Amino acid sequence: MELGIVETSSRLMTDFLQKCGGYAVVDGGFATELERHGADLNDPLWSAKCLISSPHLVRKVHLDYLHAGANIIITASYQATIQGFVAKGLSEEEAELLLRRSVEIACEAREIYYDKCTTKGSLDYIESGNVSRRPVLVAASIGSYGAYLADGSEYSGKYGDAVSLKTLKDFHRRRLQILAKSGADLIAFETIPNKLEAKAYAELLEEEEMNIPAWFSFNSKDGINVVSGDSILECASIADSCKRVVAVGINCTPPRFIHGLVLSIQKATSKPIVIYPNSGETYNAELKQWVKSSGVVVDEDFVSCIGKWREAGASLFGGCCRTTPNTIRAISRVLSKYP
């Protein structure tokens, strides 16, 4: 039974990429888009706040990315933790319901999108029977322990000596159990800032015998190591050794570092590489906002790198913080030109 689950997991991404033509498009920044639609995210729950206050906006952002060409939409659960919801006064049962709801909303958006694809006059119209509809996966997002702390430590990876492997496993276990059975196609462990948390995720996936594939995506601020200073090679090796991990990559990292990081990851794994950089801005934890820094790119410059990243070995491309549906639309157009 165990072997069958692992084989199914490993085939999911391979088969999916084949259906997409060899390369797939991941969605873009979520919180930025929610704010553009009027959401106030000045809250420890960040984008997860909208699961409570405005789920219709969450659905709209998913749809915006689907219409822009995304093959993978990531749920609004990055900062949605049971501990975080309980701190806001919700019960554990209500918190678990909201986690499941994050996946339901994304799945609803996919169905709405597919319905529109069969409506004449739609920009995405596909005539039934002639062309198969674009493959779309729903990835359930799990943010790091630092994201829950809401103190910017997911951008440093410095949790302190009191936070052990057991601390992290205990923190993430129930959320992973819920999202694994929520109807999502895979789990996206995002913005992993250190080797310890990668190890916690890998051990949880094995211990809980999760019947769902996952990807591990790390963040870097120097193009050599993850943000904590741990080696990207060591981190990618942890992901490679976990049979349920079907892709390894980088997110929320300045575009100028992506090429070198892809080359490094390739030394540690033959699994597909997923990259979804941010706009190049830097997050200021004290101000709780993104600030301009050297290396900020506009959509055209960002997208001009896709070919180079593809040649380096990446096969899934998207955007993270401060990128938009326009970014994703441009990525989709570039990838459509490759055979």
Side-chain angles (χ1 to χ4, degrees):
M1 180 64 179
E2 170 75 7
L3 183 60
I5 290 171
V6 170
E7 286 178 347
T8 301
S9 291
S10 63
R11 280 202 310 269
L12 174 120
M13 189 57 72
T14 305
D15 293 349
F16 173 72
L17 284 170
Q18 192 173 20
K19 287 176 185 174
C20 291
Y23 304 97
V25 181
V26 183
D27 65 10
F30 213 87
T32 313
E33 288 304 292
L34 287 170
E35 288 175 327
R36 189 171 69 83
H37 289 304
D40 177 8
L41 302 184
N42 186 18
D43 190 281
L45 291 176
W46 198 43
S47 56
K49 175 188 174 185
C50 288
L51 293 171
I52 303 171
S53 62
S54 43
H56 63 288
L57 291 184
V58 176
R59 189 181 301 105
K60 176 162 179 46
V61 173
H62 285 316
L63 278 165
D64 287 346
Y65 280 118
L66 287 169
H67 287 299
N71 298 111
I72 299 178
I73 52 174
I74 302 174
T75 63
S77 53
Y78 175 81
Q79 211 142 319
T81 64
I82 295 169
Q83 298 90 334
F85 285 134
V86 168
K88 294 289 286 186
L90 279 69
S91 67
E92 286 192 14
E93 292 76 14
E94 289 170 327
E96 292 181 6
L97 187 65
L98 284 169
L99 282 171
R100 294 186 186 96
R101 188 72 187 118
S102 71
V103 175
E104 288 170 3
I105 293 169
C107 290
E108 288 166 7
R110 176 170 58 184
E111 289 311 307
I112 292 168
Y113 172 73
Y114 279 153
D115 286 345
K116 287 185 177 179
C117 286
T118 55
T119 302
K120 285 194 174 181
S122 164
L123 290 174
D124 300 284
Y125 174 64
I126 296 172
E127 189 166 349
S128 180
N130 289 346
V131 184
S132 59
R133 60 188 187 180
R134 192 174 83 235
V136 174
L137 296 181
V138 170
S141 172
I142 290 184
S144 67
Y145 179 68
Y148 155 71
L149 297 176
D151 61 359
S153 58
E154 78 255 52
Y155 302 111
S156 71
K158 307 296 185 185
Y159 293 162
D161 295 336
V163 176
S164 65
L165 183 67
K166 183 180 184 301
T167 305
L168 294 174
K169 286 165 69 174
D170 289 346
F171 174 79
H172 288 296
R173 190 181 305 273
R174 184 59 185 148
R175 175 165 59 154
L176 176 56
Q177 289 171 339
I178 292 163
L179 290 174
K181 296 179 180 178
S182 63
D185 298 298
L186 72 153
I187 301 288
F189 292 100
E190 302 188 277
T191 324
I192 307 172
N194 55 46
K195 187 167 64 174
L196 186 68
E197 198 146 24
K199 191 174 180 183
Y201 291 147
E203 290 190 10
L204 278 175
L205 286 170
E206 299 296 339
E207 288 171 13
E208 297 295 323
E209 296 185 354
M210 292 295 174
N211 188 17
I212 189 169
W215 79 41
F216 280 16
S217 184
F218 301 90
N219 59 336
S220 172
K221 56 188 176 187
D222 63 6
I224 301 168
N225 304 305
V226 298
V227 291
S228 65
D230 293 333
S231 159
I232 186 63
L233 274 172
E234 291 179 17
C235 290
S237 295
I238 291 170
D240 182 67
S241 66
C242 182
K243 295 181 178 65
R244 286 173 175 80
V245 172
V246 296
V248 186
I250 297 290
N251 76 291
C252 213
T253 295
R256 65 186 182 278
F257 295 139
I258 296 299
H259 184 259
L261 289 165
V262 171
L263 293 175
S264 294
I265 291 170
Q266 272 209 317
K267 294 175 184 175
T269 186
S270 60
K271 294 178 180 181
I273 296 175
V274 53
I275 57 107
Y276 46 121
N278 59 31
S279 64
E281 292 165 281
T282 302
Y283 186 75
N284 185 308
E286 291 182 7
L287 298 175
K288 291 189 181 296
Q289 64 185 33
W290 291 88
V291 295
K292 296 278 187 183
S293 61
S294 61
V296 175
V297 295
V298 296
D299 285 344
E300 293 78 12
D301 294 335
F302 184 108
V303 172
S304 69
C305 298
I306 295 295
K308 184 170 73 168
W309 297 338
R310 171 182 164 272
E311 288 167 11
S315 51
L316 298 106
F317 307 84
C320 200
C321 296
R322 313 289 281 177
T323 61
T324 71
N326 286 337
T327 317
I328 301 312
R329 188 172 290 106
I331 290 173
S332 181
R333 285 174 180 157
V334 168
L335 289 176
S336 69
K337 296 174 184 176
Y338 291 110

